Amino acid sequence: MEADTTIEPAELNIQEILPPLFSDFEDAPLPDQNELLDAINQEDYSFEEDDEDEAILAIFESREQEYHELHDQIEASTELLTNLSSFLTSFQTDLQAVSGQLKDLRSRSQAIERRGKGRRSIEKPLKSLIESITFPPSLVTLILDTPVSEAWYPAAHTLSTILSEIHLRKTRVQAASSLLTTAETLRVTAVGKIKTYLLKILNPISASVSTNLPTLQTGVLLKNKPLWEFLEREAPAIAAEIKRSYVWRTRGYYETSFRRYCRVIQTLKTRCPDTSEPIGSLTSSSSLPTTHLNTSTSAVKPNGGNEQTDRELEGSLLANSRIEGEGVLLAWQADEKDLKLPLEALFRSIMVVLLDNACAEYTFLTRFFSRLSLYSTRPDTLATQDRLLNIQSEHATESGSGGAGRSVRKNSIISSVGAGGGLADGWKGSKEPEKEDKEDKERLQKMWHEIFDPALNYVQQLLTTLLTPLPPSLPSLLSMIRLNDSIFQALLDRGCIPLEPFVIRQRLALWPVFQKHMGTNVESLRKLAETAGLGASFLGLGATKVKDSKVESVAVQYVTLFNALLSLSTPADEAMIIGSMTRLRQELARLITSQAGKIKESGPREIFTFTIYDGLVQALRTSFGTGKAVTEEISFWEKARLGK
């Protein structure tokens, strides 16, 4: 064993190891060499050399035992050192083995720690997986043992989520596949209960037209949308059945309501005075009904400007050309035998009722049946939609029942949702939100048409009867056109796309009637002027002569017509209306000139023409004040008054 051998990793203390090895020799110490020499030197060697050898030998022999013991001790020490070296060598080997085992244990410990971390890392996903495919006992109890209620709203969503997870993992997770039977049982039970519950909610729609449909939609059906979404995901066939049931019931509801309401308006139409006679008819009244438009105040301005309040113009052409203002006709009011309304008021009633119901229905369809849920919109948008749906459509629904009285529309639906407000912020015209799926939009519009097309047929028939056999007066027609334009703008603001084509068709139908009726008035006035220019000898027996009072009446009708049309015109069509009135003005001037030509004396003739021209100028100034069209009109008659 080498002297510099180092034993690692344990540190050995030789001083602690050796004493036990020599413990047997502590009682027999080795003789000191110096003492031995001193003892030899002190011997008396008086004998000769041989004797000295013998003496030395004797000394050694006398101590032979000691030397043997010393030799034995040395051999024992050598043996002990050899054993110690062997022990230390084996101890070093054992230490190296222990060191290797410690390293192996350290490696195993690190591997175990890594496995522990791996298991801890999958603990949360595993827990999430277990929770996602297991049914909470409370959910199972709710589905199996309780009727459908508001507690089902979150439960339906939870059940749908769990069912989706199970079907998603059934091919990879054995636990998920083992739950398929339980999942199907819960799904079938939930679908059956929800179907019965929703059909029960829809029953009042087909039971009576007195049902307040907007209240049912907003107060009941919209709250149950989570149940409908559950059916849409888990039972599409049942969802389609519920949808067909809703369409069928609401279709009958609107068809019956609008049929009754149109019948009421047709009854009132028969009571309306016939104001469609041309201005030049000899049998026409002395003037146009002045109740249509107040022409005696300077508050009325060109281009439809108006400084009077709506209350002061109730029942006027201007009031009936707007959505805002007085309430529409209620069905029970037709029982009042003395009630008479102008045609433009009847037109406004049916169009506003159609607007309110159509927009409310389309808003509900968009919120309830859309696959792109509108609940993700901002709260202010949802509040706007709620206001739209809460519109009381009593005009149609009360067609078969009584009411408290005629309501007053102080603010229209447009003003109630704000300027430009609609189903969603940012809608402009018919532009749909970018996120809305085109296919979903087309599907909703198709549903709306399935519901409203029968009602639209009744409305179309009614509008046709309002224009036939004789069209309304020109101011009434223009008032209808203005209201129709307001209806169309309201549809754009509210985003009710399906009704837009119907309103456009009404505009395309009204303008030709207006232009044709204007041509009829011009032609009648031309014939009247020709008749006035003929002498009595040229008129047949029994022919009606044109009297001065008739000319004055025509002049009054002209001013009333001019004021009415100009107040209802817009910058877009003012030029066309002024052009038609210019033709009418020329024929009126011819009539006045022809009638004045019958007066032989110049004095009375000049008085006659001056009186009519001055009356026209004063009426125009009093009615409108200033304005380009009015200024030109006044200038024309002033020149005629001065004989220029």
Side-chain angles (χ1 to χ4, degrees):
M1 179 178 178
E2 296 180 358
D4 58 349
T5 301
T6 303
I7 300 175
E8 293 181 356
E11 183 178 354
L12 300 178
N13 191 343
I14 301 301
Q15 299 297 330
E16 295 178 357
I17 298 175
L18 292 180
L21 298 177
F22 294 96
S23 59
D24 296 335
F25 299 95
E26 289 180 356
D27 297 335
L30 295 175
D32 186 61
Q33 185 177 2
N34 293 328
E35 293 180 358
L36 183 60
L37 292 176
D38 290 341
I40 294 173
N41 291 333
Q42 291 177 3
E43 293 289 338
D44 185 11
Y45 297 104
S46 59
F47 46 81
E48 294 179 356
E49 183 176 353
D50 293 336
D51 295 335
E52 292 178 359
D53 292 336
E54 292 178 0
I56 293 172
L57 182 59
I59 294 172
F60 277 100
E61 288 178 353
S62 63
R63 295 196 175 189
E64 179 181 4
Q65 184 65 29
E66 295 179 3
Y67 292 148
H68 282 292
E69 292 177 358
L70 179 61
H71 177 72
D72 293 338
Q73 291 178 1
I74 292 173
E75 287 183 351
S77 297
T78 302
E79 185 179 358
L80 288 174
L81 290 175
T82 301
N83 293 336
L84 178 61
S85 175
S86 176
F87 172 77
L88 292 176
T89 301
S90 61
F91 184 71
Q92 183 180 15
T93 303
D94 293 340
L95 286 179
Q96 290 176 349
V98 171
S99 177
Q101 292 176 358
L102 290 175
K103 291 181 180 179
D104 182 59
L105 289 174
R106 187 181 297 110
S107 299
R108 293 176 60 186
S109 175
Q110 292 175 351
I112 293 173
E113 184 177 359
R114 286 193 297 269
R115 287 197 298 270
K117 288 182 179 180
R119 291 177 180 178
R120 285 193 297 271
S121 64
I122 66 172
E123 178 183 1
K124 291 183 178 179
L126 183 60
K127 180 181 178 181
S128 176
L129 172 62
I130 295 174
E131 291 178 349
S132 65
I133 63 175
T134 55
F135 298 97
S138 58
L139 176 64
V140 176
T141 302
L142 180 69
I143 299 299
L144 297 179
D145 299 337
T146 63
V148 179
S149 61
E150 293 185 1
W152 277 57
Y153 301 160
H157 181 270
T158 302
L159 178 60
S160 180
T161 302
I162 296 176
L163 292 174
S164 300
E165 290 292 332
I166 290 177
H167 287 286
L168 180 64
R169 303 177 186 276
K170 63 182 179 180
T171 57
R172 295 179 298 170
V173 181
Q174 183 178 1
S177 61
S178 64
L179 290 172
L180 287 176
T181 303
T182 303
E184 185 64 16
T185 300
L186 290 175
R187 186 191 71 84
V188 171
T189 303
V191 168
K193 289 187 176 182
I194 292 175
K195 174 187 175 182
T196 304
Y197 177 74
L198 292 180
L199 289 177
K200 183 178 179 181
I201 293 177
L202 297 179
N203 284 335
I205 300 177
S206 57
S208 173
V209 293
S210 61
T211 301
N212 194 322
L213 183 57
T215 301
L216 180 65
Q217 290 172 338
T218 56
V220 182
L221 284 175
L222 277 181
K223 292 182 179 180
N224 289 279
K225 185 176 181 181
L227 303 180
W228 161 258
E229 291 176 340
F230 175 81
L231 293 181
E232 188 82 351
R233 289 190 297 266
E234 305 301 333
I238 301 300
E241 181 181 348
I242 299 294
K243 187 187 302 181
R244 287 193 300 270
S245 177
Y246 174 82
V247 170
W248 172 76
R249 295 170 191 269
T250 51
R251 176 190 178 100
Y253 175 88
Y254 284 118
E255 182 179 6
T256 303
S257 299
F258 274 95
R259 182 178 67 249
R260 294 180 180 180
Y261 193 64
C262 290
R263 187 185 304 146
V264 169
I265 294 181
Q266 287 177 345
T267 301
L268 291 177
K269 195 256 183 183
T270 59
R271 305 177 189 174
C272 294
D274 186 5
T275 59
S276 61
E277 291 185 357
I279 189 174
S281 174
L282 290 174
T283 59
S284 63
S285 58
S286 60
S287 64
L288 288 175
T290 57
T291 56
H292 286 179
L293 186 65
N294 187 353
T295 61
S296 62
T297 173
S298 60
V300 182
K301 296 183 178 180
N303 303 329
N306 193 346
E307 295 178 354
Q308 292 181 330
T309 62
D310 289 344
R311 182 177 299 177
E312 294 173 343
L313 289 175
E314 284 181 354
S316 69
L317 291 170
L318 288 176
N320 287 319
S321 66
R322 302 167 182 166
I323 299 177
E324 302 89 343
E326 185 180 0
V328 299
L329 174 71
L330 300 181
W332 62 268
Q333 292 178 309
D335 297 335
E336 300 177 5
K337 302 300 182 181
D338 297 333
L339 178 64
K340 294 182 180 181
L341 295 175
L343 293 180
E344 63 270 15
L346 301 180
F347 180 85
R348 177 178 178 270
S349 293
I350 187 61
M351 291 301 291
V352 171
V353 168
L354 178 63
L355 171 69
D356 288 351
N357 284 274
C359 290
E361 183 62 32
Y362 187 66
T363 302
F364 172 76
L365 293 178
T366 304
R367 292 188 60 184
F368 190 82
F369 290 104
S370 176
R371 293 190 177 97
L372 304 176
S373 178
L374 293 182
Y375 285 108
S376 60
T377 56
R378 299 197 305 271
D380 55 348
T381 302
L382 295 180
T384 297
Q385 297 172 351
D386 288 336
R387 287 197 296 273
L388 279 174
L389 283 171
N390 284 326
I391 295 168
Q392 295 297 325
S393 302
E394 58 183 3
H395 325 305
T397 58
E398 291 187 359
S399 58
S401 60
R406 192 173 183 183
S407 60
V408 177
R409 296 173 61 93
K410 295 183 179 179
N411 294 306
S412 71
I413 304 168
I414 296 178
S415 62
S416 68
V417 299
L423 294 181
D425 293 344
W427 284 35
K428 189 175 183 180
S430 298
K431 183 179 179 181
E432 296 292 322
E434 294 179 357
K435 295 182 179 179
E436 185 171 5
D437 182 73
K438 181 179 180 180
E439 181 179 352
D440 188 61
K441 180 180 62 176
E442 293 176 352
R443 183 177 58 86
L444 294 175
Q445 293 182 19
K446 182 179 179 181
M447 283 185 62
W448 185 93
H449 280 291
E450 291 177 355
I451 293 172
F452 255 91
D453 278 351
L456 290 181
N457 291 335
Y458 285 109
V459 175
Q460 183 62 64
Q461 293 174 8
L462 174 64
L463 296 180
T464 302
T465 59
L466 293 180
L467 302 179
T468 56
L470 295 177
S473 63
L474 288 172
S476 296
L477 280 172
L478 191 55
S479 178
M480 294 178 185
I481 293 173
R482 290 285 83 85
L483 176 66
N484 193 76
D485 293 343
S486 299
I487 295 290
F488 184 74
Q489 185 59 46
L491 293 177
L492 297 180
D493 293 336
R494 302 179 192 182
C496 186
I497 303 173
L499 189 59
E500 292 178 10
F502 179 84
V503 178
I504 292 175
R505 287 197 299 270
Q506 305 315 310
R507 177 181 175 84
L508 296 178
L510 287 170
W511 270 116
V513 174
F514 176 85
Q515 293 171 348
K516 181 179 179 180
H517 198 28
M518 175 63 78
T520 301
N521 278 269
V522 173
E523 182 64 19
S524 68
L525 196 55
R526 184 186 66 80
K527 291 181 178 180
L528 183 63
E530 292 177 353
T531 302
L534 297 176
S537 59
F538 292 95
L539 295 175
L541 184 63
T544 303
K545 297 180 180 180
V546 179
K547 299 180 180 180
D548 293 347
S549 59
K550 176 60 180 177
V551 177
E552 294 174 357
S553 174
V554 170
V556 173
Q557 292 182 62
Y558 174 82
V559 174
T560 303
L561 181 62
F562 181 86
N563 292 340
L565 296 185
L566 197 61
S567 66
L568 292 169
S569 64
T570 61
D573 53 32
E574 181 179 352
M576 184 270 293
I577 293 176
I578 295 301
S580 299
M581 291 302 299
T582 300
R583 294 167 53 201
L584 202 62
R585 180 181 64 191
Q586 293 173 351
E587 299 301 333
L588 176 60
R590 283 184 55 202
L591 173 63
I592 297 173
T593 302
S594 299
Q595 187 68 16
K598 295 180 181 180
I599 304 176
K600 297 180 180 180
E601 297 180 4
S602 60
R605 182 171 61 250
E606 291 177 357
I607 293 174
F608 173 77
T609 55
F610 181 85
T611 301
I612 294 180
Y613 292 149
D614 185 68
L616 289 170
V617 171
Q618 296 302 324
L620 291 171
R621 284 178 176 173
T622 303
S623 299
F624 282 94
T626 60
K628 182 179 179 180
V630 178
T631 301
E632 293 178 355
E633 188 72 17
I634 293 175
S635 176
F636 176 85
W637 294 114
E638 282 184 338
K639 291 179 180 180
R641 183 180 59 180
L642 297 176
K644 295 181 180 180

